[in-house]
Amino acid sequence: MGYAAARGGLNAILTAENLVRRLRDLDPSERIELDQFTGRLRLLVDRVMGESGLWAPELAAMALRQGEGDLIEAVHLLRAYKSTLGRLDTAIPVHANDIQLVRRVVPAFREPGGPQILGRSTDYTARMLTTTDRDIVDASDSTTTLDTALKTRPSNSRMSDVLRDMDLLVDRRRTDDPEPFDITRTPAKPPAPRSALLSSMARAETGALVNQWYRNILGPDGYLHEVTLGEVRHGKLPINVRHPMTGGSVNIGSFRATEVEAIEDLNGSEEDRTRFDVGYGFCFGHNERKAIAMANLDIACYRDGAKSGLEQSLLMTTDGLDSAGFLEHLKLPHYVTFRSMVERKVAVRRVADGKN
Amino acid sequence: MTSIHVPSPIIQVRNLGKYYGNFDPAMIDRTGPEHGTARDHVTASIVAAWGVNFDVAAGEALGIVGESGSGKSTVLRCIAGDVAASTGDVRLAPFEDGNVNILDLDPSARRQLRINTLSVVYQDPAEGLALGVTAGGNIADPLTAAGWRNFGAIRDRARELLARTEVPLDRMDDIVRNFSGGMRQRVQIARALANKPPILLLDEPTTGLDASVASGVLDLIRQLLEELQVAAIVVSHDFGVIEMLTERCLVMQHGRVVEDALTDQLLEDPHHPYSQKLVAAART
Amino acid sequence: MGRTEMTLEATVNSSPTTIAELVGHRTTETFALLDEESKREIRRALLQAVCIPGYQVPFGSREMPVARGWGSGGLQVTLACVGADDAVKVIDQGDDEGVNAVNLRRLVTMSTGIDETTEVDEATLIQSRHRIPEDDMNENHILILQVPVPEPLRGIERDIRELARMHAEADYSRMWVSLYEDKVRNGVITQSTGYPCLVASRYIVATTPIPRWDIPRLHQSKFLTLFGAGREKRVYAIPPYTDVEPLTFEDVPFEVESADGATCRLCGSSDSFLVEMPGKQESWSCSDTAWCRRQRNT
């Protein structure tokens, strides 16, 4: 009742909204506080911020709570909120080496320059559902406090630099310093600069990027082959802006990010078989799955040279709000278009029956 | 040796060249028939075609013969606009009275030429046809591009062309993918003729067809060339095809023209050793 | 690369002198939801669209409080155009009470305080999904159509670069071939809604999907039509008094929807776009509910 043509569309909507609010807000359990999201569901909060393109843990937590844990819904709330805000300033670029590492994995070398930091990870934990509270850590347990502190070691020995020093890397550094493409102000479409591709992927829906990666491994496309990871990093980077009065650099906060360098073996007929190339992945928060897929797709897209539809797929089909919104719009009334389609079916049949 | 130049040519080609890779002026002298290769050993560049000159008059068919890799298809594709020439000057009398080097045109203008000035028939029908479209629809494509907007008139013209190319009219509304190779080639020819272009380029038009099918298609092309009085270029590795369709021909080897002559003279008395080899092979 | 874009939750119109003040300021109550800079940007794109009728102008589509695919493009166009003196009518499938129409209308009125109406002659901005109102409209009206798929050639070509080339060169022969094939295979042209039209003899546009019934209304219309595709980040326009020709062959008349002898069970009209209840006798009714209501009352 009250869906489409019936009168009282507004009442139907208000009732639907009320049901959501009642069932969500009046649930007999304790209301989830925002710091529970940021403290206990940090990976979820990180994903929302990454896919929103907005670093704001508390707002992300609010969005998740309001959206009943629906990731796409939370991203939508956060991005729509962002649309109402003026753009004040652009942060001063920071070098990725300014990262304060909490985790660094270098699969390409046993002993890379700089540290290997396993950090906070369940990579090597048996995935066994804990059904009791027995495993909850006691605050007095000193073995668990060690690695939680932020590492502040120098981290400038990244694998791409190491490879370059070994003359094992093709050099495609550019001498100019073009402004990055702003995908929030200009729609990115092929042919697009690399910065457009990278920002599209940084904001992409994680599952969409993972799928793009995997369908190229096992699916029909095959434009990509597996890389060796040079760097998988997670850490904290500063946000600096120019002071509006003094013009000096002022630190106004920090954000966490995941950064990945993917080393690609070049084996194409036109490529330099004696060297490697590197793909790059970077996204807000701790989301290694996404950053790895991104790095591998970045280099795959470069090597592909616009010969396939990969660039178009990455630029135009990986945004979670675009795809989910369009998919769900099928629920909207379509009876005018459907009526028109039925009319054509009748018309075709009339011709087939020789009545025309 | 006959002149490669004719009075008031429809197609005039001068110093046409195409290389792949980096250019080094010296690589021209390091490649070609005397060196037995089109690949420059210093730069690793390929000189696919170089220094090609010829004219084609109205109603004349010029053959270009050679083995695969000789550069004959490169020449045709540079004229057609499928491949960007590296250098040269190509003028078509029906376009701006021959006052414009078509190699200087932008891709958009090159495509315009393909609508009603110049048509190409490819060895592979998939290149010249949309296989998922009907035979009639494939003909409708160049017609609508040229501004035809009357369904009945398009149908009539398609019917006329398919009849002329001996495609059974009851196949007109079948998609081309369901056609045999020979039939596809006839549809491709019909499509190429849709807007009565004064210039027709044929790239190995019967290669890959069964001998009996090929001879039928060849017969059709010969009749059409006589009837339509277009200026044509026929590229083939097969002297049989060249003999049947052309009056004059160029022999190409390793990216260069090694001989040009009247076709029947060439067959009787080839001068260049490579031509002799080709003719001998064709006669056995 | 390596440059981190941050949106700070503050406004530009005050002049903060410290970072804390800069960050501390936040205003979410803006007229018509979007900040002024965004609205200006959308209006610039719309002006370009009006100057090049039928050309799809890319714009920096914002994330709206409605999902992409749910009228976010139309909403942005409406919000970019709306002024304090406007009155807005919003319909979905012709119905002012359709749920999505209601939702969009309350967003517009809530964020602007302007009047809402169901009557065409009271409205200045009419946002619609899938229909053009049956009523006559004039120079005082702007019709804003929500567009799911702005690319009319997508059915024949997927590659973005090739599509750009085809539009640039007005290379539309494959579109004509698709119509030819349709007619050959089916005896009629089966394109139902969103019928491709040539605007000002230059660009082919996707007509949202409105039914063919509405297409003649676009030709030499007195009103301005703006098309907003939020998800695909394009706007385009048909200015007043512009030629809009549905693509069809000279000898194949363009056919609008018809239903033999059908009349609206409510108002008795036979000359409006009718929708049906499945499997019922006398099942037809006007899709334009406001128009239907007025037919009954006069």
Side-chain angles (χ1 to χ4, degrees):
Chain A
M1 265 304 289
Y3 162 68
R7 320 308 306 165
L10 183 58
N11 281 336
I13 292 174
L14 294 175
T15 308
E17 285 177 348
N18 247 331
L19 272 173
V20 170
R21 266 199 299 270
R22 283 188 71 83
L23 295 175
R24 180 190 61 203
D25 299 345
L26 301 183
D27 187 84
S29 66
E30 289 286 310
R31 190 171 195 234
I32 317 178
E33 296 304 326
L34 298 181
D35 57 1
Q36 289 179 283
F37 281 96
T38 50
R40 295 171 187 268
L41 298 171
R42 70 178 173 106
L43 294 173
L44 186 60
V45 172
D46 281 5
R47 253 189 86 168
V48 170
M49 293 193 291
E51 294 173 19
S52 301
L54 182 70
W55 184 264
E58 216 173 88
L59 293 175
M62 280 181 209
L64 275 164
R65 185 166 66 182
Q66 186 179 330
E68 300 185 79
D70 181 343
L71 244 140
I72 294 282
E73 180 72 14
V75 169
H76 189 177
L77 289 166
L78 209 52
R79 284 211 210 158
Y81 177 74
K82 186 173 144 185
S83 292
T84 65
L85 305 173
R87 179 175 285 195
L88 268 183
D89 200 0
T90 306
I92 301 169
V94 288
H95 197 289
N97 283 352
D98 294 344
I99 196 165
Q100 291 180 295
L101 288 174
V102 289
R103 175 164 155 84
R104 180 190 188 221
V105 177
V106 182
F109 291 96
R110 176 164 164 173
E111 293 174 63
Q116 296 254 32
I117 309 168
L118 196 53
R120 182 176 177 177
S121 173
T122 56
D123 280 354
Y124 304 101
T125 307
R127 265 45 171 250
M128 297 165 81
L129 186 67
T130 309
T131 54
T132 68
D133 286 347
R134 269 202 317 254
D135 284 352
I136 289 181
V137 163
D138 187 330
S140 63
D141 180 353
S142 63
T143 60
T144 60
T145 61
L146 290 176
D147 267 341
T148 53
L150 209 59
K151 305 272 183 184
T152 53
R153 304 193 204 187
S155 49
N156 48 8
S157 53
R158 55 180 54 240
M159 282 308 110
S160 54
D161 292 332
V162 171
L163 291 176
R164 194 174 287 119
D165 289 344
M166 296 164 76
D167 192 24
L168 278 174
L169 193 65
V170 291
D171 195 358
R172 34 182 198 107
R173 285 174 297 180
R174 45 196 299 178
T175 49
D176 58 341
D177 182 21
E179 282 299 301
F181 189 100
D182 184 350
I183 57 165
T184 68
R185 292 295 182 271
T186 311
K189 58 171 183 168
R194 189 181 179 200
S195 60
L197 184 75
L198 290 175
S199 9
S200 298
M201 287 197 282
R203 234 169 58 131
E205 206 263 323
T206 304
L209 272 197
V210 172
N211 173 260
Q212 284 288 338
W213 182 83
Y214 198 51
R215 66 172 280 150
N216 275 283
I217 296 285
L218 200 59
D221 297 347
Y223 301 128
L224 164 157
H225 63 72
E226 279 175 63
V227 289
T228 303
L229 294 179
E231 296 278 349
V232 179
R233 296 175 164 207
H234 176 221
K236 198 190 238 188
L237 282 155
I239 302 167
N240 301 323
V241 295
R242 296 241 169 267
H243 192 284
M245 307 301 283
T246 67
S249 169
V250 184
N251 180 264
I252 58 166
S254 63
F255 67 101
R256 282 180 297 102
T258 306
E259 189 195 23
V260 167
E261 283 186 349
I263 304 169
E264 176 76 313
D265 184 12
L266 298 176
N267 62 357
S269 56
E270 308 273 293
E271 291 177 322
D272 183 351
R273 198 72 177 95
T274 67
R275 290 184 177 79
F276 296 103
D277 204 339
V278 168
Y280 190 73
F282 184 95
C283 63
F284 273 159
H286 193 191
N287 192 344
E288 292 169 11
R289 206 174 288 142
K290 180 179 193 170
I292 294 168
M294 175 175 169
N296 203 343
L297 287 162
D298 168 48
I299 185 63
C301 199
Y302 173 75
R303 294 183 69 197
D304 180 54
K307 284 195 290 288
S308 71
L310 182 58
E311 183 190 22
Q312 183 170 333
S313 286
L314 293 175
L315 288 173
M316 304 186 70
T317 73
T318 57
D319 187 85
L321 290 200
D322 286 358
S323 54
F326 196 50
L327 175 85
E328 295 199 43
H329 107 286
L330 296 174
K331 294 182 288 187
L332 285 173
H334 279 83
Y335 58 82
V336 163
T337 47
F338 193 67
R339 159 68 200 137
S340 183
M341 288 159 69
V342 170
E343 190 267 353
R344 285 289 90 182
K345 298 283 173 221
V346 173
V348 173
R349 192 164 303 170
R350 198 183 299 128
V351 173
D353 294 347
K355 287 181 200 156
N356 205 6
Chain B
M1 208 153 150
T2 56
S3 168
I4 53 169
H5 304 315
V6 300
S8 56
I10 298 293
I11 309 169
Q12 181 186 303
V13 174
R14 295 288 177 271
N15 291 316
L16 184 65
K18 173 69 187 177
Y19 58 83
Y20 295 93
N22 296 321
F23 185 71
D24 168 7
M27 76 191 188
I28 303 305
D29 292 331
R30 290 193 296 257
T31 54
E34 310 88 87
H35 304 277
T37 180
R39 186 173 189 276
D40 177 37
H41 64 278
V42 178
T43 58
S45 298
I46 309 276
V47 182
W50 203 258
V52 177
N53 293 283
F54 60 83
D55 291 347
V56 186
E60 185 189 32
L62 175 87
I64 306 180
V65 69
E67 294 167 313
S68 68
S70 64
K72 58 191 191 306
S73 282
T74 299
V75 169
L76 181 136
R77 281 169 186 263
C78 285
I79 297 169
D82 295 333
V83 166
S86 305
T87 180
D89 187 307
V90 175
R91 285 157 200 275
L92 308 178
F95 178 71
E96 304 285 347
D97 291 328
N99 288 322
V100 174
N101 176 6
I102 61 165
L103 302 182
D104 294 339
L105 297 176
D106 62 28
S108 167
R110 289 304 297 270
R111 272 186 288 273
Q112 286 295 315
L113 282 180
R114 295 285 287 268
I115 294 172
N116 44 23
T117 304
L118 178 162
S119 283
V120 187
V121 175
Y122 296 94
Q123 173 183 345
D124 179 2
E127 259 193 274
L129 296 174
L131 296 184
V133 168
T134 64
N138 269 289
I139 295 169
D141 187 28
L143 292 177
T144 55
W148 289 52
R149 294 291 179 265
N150 188 293
F151 183 76
I154 291 168
R155 297 281 293 167
D156 289 347
R157 176 74 179 140
R159 225 175 263 123
E160 180 190 340
L161 286 159
L162 291 172
R164 182 64 199 86
T165 51
E166 292 153 20
V167 176
L169 289 183
D170 60 0
R171 303 295 307 276
M172 174 164 154
D173 297 335
D174 289 351
I175 62 167
V176 173
R177 183 169 290 115
N178 298 339
F179 286 22
S180 67
M183 198 73 82
R184 288 182 187 185
Q185 210 52 314
R186 290 171 186 275
V187 176
Q188 205 194 165
I189 293 165
R191 178 194 156 103
L193 299 176
N195 289 320
K196 304 181 180 172
I199 296 165
L200 192 58
L201 311 182
L202 301 120
D203 189 6
E204 303 272 11
T206 57
T207 307
L209 300 178
D210 293 345
S212 61
V213 175
S215 83
V217 173
L218 216 49
D219 224 30
L220 170 69
I221 295 172
R222 191 182 58 176
Q223 290 168 27
L224 288 169
L225 290 178
E226 275 172 20
E227 180 183 316
L228 301 172
Q229 289 298 298
V230 296
I233 298 172
V234 182
V235 162
S236 181
H237 70 287
D238 180 352
F239 251 118
V241 172
I242 297 295
E243 182 178 16
M244 188 155 173
L245 298 181
T246 71
E247 297 88 46
R248 286 185 309 125
C249 76
L250 313 180
V251 181
M252 287 191 74
Q253 184 191 21
H254 300 307
R256 311 299 159 89
V257 175
V258 294
E259 185 163 3
D260 63 271
L262 293 174
T263 305
D264 49 4
Q265 282 180 7
L266 187 82
L267 284 161
E268 288 297 312
D269 181 20
H271 289 190
H272 192 276
Y274 178 68
S275 311
Q276 290 166 356
K277 195 183 115 193
L278 285 182
V279 171
R283 288 288 178 253
T284 54
Chain C
M1 240 181 63
R3 181 183 164 121
T4 312
E5 179 245 297
M6 296 268 93
T7 300
L8 301 172
E9 293 127 30
T11 59
V12 265
N13 38 31
S14 59
S15 300
T17 52
T18 65
I19 296 292
E21 203 180 328
L22 197 68
V23 177
H25 271 249
R26 54 169 73 186
T27 310
T28 50
E29 298 288 319
T30 48
F31 182 77
L33 280 170
L34 297 165
D35 66 288
E36 289 305 316
E37 177 209 354
S38 300
K39 282 184 280 189
R40 271 197 294 275
E41 191 184 309
I42 296 166
R43 284 197 293 269
R44 279 195 294 271
L46 290 170
L47 282 172
Q48 195 183 342
V50 169
C51 293
I52 317 169
Y55 173 71
Q56 299 167 50
V57 181
F59 81 111
S61 180
R62 304 301 200 262
E63 276 88 1
M64 302 305 290
V66 300
R68 289 195 159 159
W70 294 61
S72 68
L75 183 62
Q76 287 177 79
V77 171
T78 298
L79 294 176
C81 293
V82 69
D85 299 331
D86 277 307
V88 67
K89 171 181 166 74
V90 183
I91 52 174
D92 189 329
Q93 316 291 296
D95 188 352
D96 298 87
E97 291 293 321
V99 272
N100 205 44
V102 169
N103 187 35
L104 292 169
R105 183 168 56 241
R106 69 176 174 158
L107 262 169
V108 175
T109 53
M110 266 170 25
S111 65
T112 60
I114 66 161
D115 291 337
E116 61 177 71
T117 178
T118 58
E119 297 308 305
V120 165
D121 59 6
E122 291 169 7
T124 54
L125 299 174
I126 299 169
Q127 179 170 338
S128 171
R129 174 166 171 267
H130 295 186
R131 276 307 314 273
I132 297 178
E134 304 283 350
D135 284 292
D136 283 340
M137 291 185 284
N138 57 43
E139 290 88 342
N140 298 321
H141 291 108
I142 298 178
L143 174 66
I144 295 149
L145 289 171
Q146 301 167 203
V147 183
V149 179
E151 180 47 71
L153 309 181
R154 187 156 300 155
I156 55 167
E157 178 59 55
R158 313 291 294 183
D159 184 88
I160 294 287
R161 300 166 198 240
E162 176 65 2
L163 286 164
R165 182 198 69 73
M166 290 166 79
H167 282 297
E169 296 178 10
D171 177 1
Y172 293 139
S173 64
R174 282 166 63 200
M175 199 67 180
W176 285 101
V177 171
S178 75
L179 292 174
Y180 168 94
E181 295 280 291
D182 194 7
K183 169 82 178 148
V184 164
R185 198 163 298 148
N186 302 305
V188 294
I189 291 175
T190 57
Q191 176 85 38
S192 53
T193 50
Y195 199 93
C197 291
L198 190 66
V199 175
S201 305
R202 178 57 183 88
Y203 288 101
I204 292 182
V205 299
T207 49
T208 75
I210 55 173
R212 281 160 289 129
W213 177 270
D214 291 340
I215 296 286
R217 303 283 308 283
L218 293 170
H219 177 63
Q220 287 292 326
S221 66
K222 291 179 182 171
F223 53 92
L224 166 65
T225 307
L226 300 174
F227 299 80
R231 183 179 52 85
E232 298 212 20
K233 306 162 188 76
R234 299 275 184 283
V235 291
Y236 51 105
I238 299 174
Y241 304 105
T242 302
D243 285 342
V244 177
E245 307 158 66
L247 292 193
T248 188
F249 296 102
E250 295 158 357
D251 50 343
V252 179
F254 173 71
E255 291 176 353
V256 301
E257 290 83 352
S258 62
D260 289 337
T263 56
C264 174
R265 70 176 189 274
L266 301 171
C267 73
S269 296
S270 57
D271 59 343
S272 74
F273 184 80
L274 299 171
V275 292
E276 64 183 322
M277 274 194 285
K280 296 256 176 65
Q281 292 291 315
E282 313 236 323
S283 62
W284 300 94
S285 62
C286 295
S287 118
D288 186 340
T289 52
W291 189 82
C292 182
R293 194 164 52 243
R294 202 158 349 88
Q295 300 310 300
R296 278 174 273 159
N297 296 341
T298 51

